[in-house]
Structure formats: structure tokens, C-alpha cells
Amino acid sequence: MGAAVEALLARVRWARAGLVAAVEAGDPYAVAVAQDELDDAVRLAQGYGLDVEAAGGIEE
């Protein structure tokens, strides 16, 4: 797997973890920001043909 692919998948995993943390903290603003970051990361990865569901599942 190339470095760019790894970086995109890492961004999706990082964004997903950020969303979980924001939800657990009960911070609506942080949840909105984290959801936007996850949506952007998933959209970018899928635009390159990456299967983000196989990389850990997404909640959309």
C-alpha cells in the first residue's frame, strides 16, 4: 500500500476516533466539527477509490 493511501486511511481512522471522543465528551460543537472532518476524510478517500468500510467501517 502506498504512503498516500495509508495517510488517507489514517485520516479516516483519526477522524472517526475524534468523533467518538467528542460524542463521549458530550460537546455538541466538537461533535459537529468532528463529523465534518470525518465526512471530508471519507469523501476524499472514496474519491480515490478506497474502501473505507473495509478499513474500519463508517457511520453515515
Side-chain angles (χ1 to χ4, degrees):
M1 209 177 291
V5 170
E6 284 293 329
L8 284 170
L9 294 177
R11 181 176 174 195
V12 171
R13 288 189 297 269
W14 176 82
R16 189 177 295 121
L19 179 58
V20 169
V23 169
E24 289 175 352
D27 182 345
Y29 177 76
V31 169
V33 170
Q35 184 65 60
D36 285 346
E37 173 62 25
L38 178 58
D39 292 345
D40 188 51
V42 166
R43 189 177 314 107
L44 184 60
Q46 288 176 337
Y48 281 95
L50 300 178
D51 184 2
V52 294
E53 292 185 33
I58 57 173
E59 312 277 328
E60 286 194 64

